[in-house]
Amino acid sequence: MDTRALLRLGGVAGLLCGGAIATAGAIELVADGKTPLTQVLNGASVPFGIGLLVALYSLLHQRLGRFGALGFVVQFLGFGFFAGVAFARNFVLVYLDKPVVDELLTSPAKVAFLLTGFLALTGTLLFGSALMRSRAVPVAAATLYTAGLSVLCLTFLLPTPLVRAGHIAAGVGIGWLAWWVWSSVTARQPATAPAV
């Protein structure tokens, strides 16, 4: 598989992630709560965001510089850990009795969840800032990405309506950046060699 195909795959992964997150946020706003569909969308979509992150950094690493490299590493780790939290939250914790969840949140698991949120938030702010500073991607897309994901990193601490709005903003930002990746790779496709 050549580099362009891998970058396109990152773009597709981002479109899946962004679409799933935005759709889940919109459904939860209308339904005023989680549904089985939104649990699947939220619980399974985060790993696809890692594919977009890698594609973005691969395309922009020279323009992002050292600050962008630091942001990429921290966000990559944050995305990885956050994928586990999102999976647990949507496929495990929702099926446990409230006293069990309350007890779990008095254990070291609470610290792990909070540290994961902090790591993901730090990575989002660093990488999002690097994207905005580079001016290589649409600034509005990078802003939605950064603001929306920052809200999602603080899911456990923020009011539910704000978290749902964060889902929509993050989903739109991720989808927009994914489309930018796809379009950039397509535009860079080399011309075919002339026939001899």
Side-chain angles (χ1 to χ4, degrees):
M1 186 178 282
D2 68 16
T3 305
R4 286 192 314 278
L6 287 171
L7 291 170
R8 282 194 193 103
L9 188 60
V12 170
L15 287 169
L16 290 171
C17 179
I21 291 172
T23 300
I27 291 172
E28 288 182 2
L29 267 176
V30 173
D32 196 30
K34 285 188 172 296
T35 69
L37 176 60
T38 62
Q39 287 172 225
V40 171
L41 291 173
N42 284 328
S45 61
V46 180
F48 292 101
I50 298 171
L52 173 64
L53 178 66
V54 170
L56 278 168
Y57 186 70
S58 297
L59 277 171
L60 299 173
H61 67 278
Q62 290 179 332
R63 293 190 66 172
L64 295 179
R66 289 181 183 167
F67 180 72
L70 173 66
F72 168 74
V73 170
V74 178
Q75 175 128 53
F76 185 85
L77 293 171
F79 253 136
F81 284 113
F82 199 78
V85 170
F87 186 90
R89 187 162 193 248
N90 288 283
F91 295 126
V92 179
L93 297 182
V94 293
Y95 296 110
L96 299 177
D97 294 330
K98 188 175 184 322
V100 175
V101 175
D102 291 342
E103 184 178 346
L104 179 69
L105 293 178
T106 61
S107 73
K110 179 179 182 178
V111 175
F113 288 153
L114 290 174
L115 288 176
T116 295
F118 178 74
L119 179 66
L121 176 62
T122 303
T124 296
L125 293 174
L126 289 173
F127 191 70
S129 297
L131 286 177
M132 287 185 264
R133 237 174 52 164
S134 76
R135 300 269 179 198
V137 299
V139 175
T143 302
L144 286 169
Y145 173 92
T146 306
L149 284 180
S150 294
V151 168
L152 296 187
C153 293
L154 302 172
T155 294
F156 291 104
L157 305 173
L158 296 175
T160 302
L162 181 58
V163 171
R164 291 177 182 148
H167 273 90
I168 295 168
V172 170
I174 289 168
W176 191 346
L177 290 172
W179 180 252
W180 179 88
V181 167
W182 179 273
S183 301
S184 296
V185 173
T186 303
R188 292 177 187 195
Q189 188 164 330
T192 54
V196 257

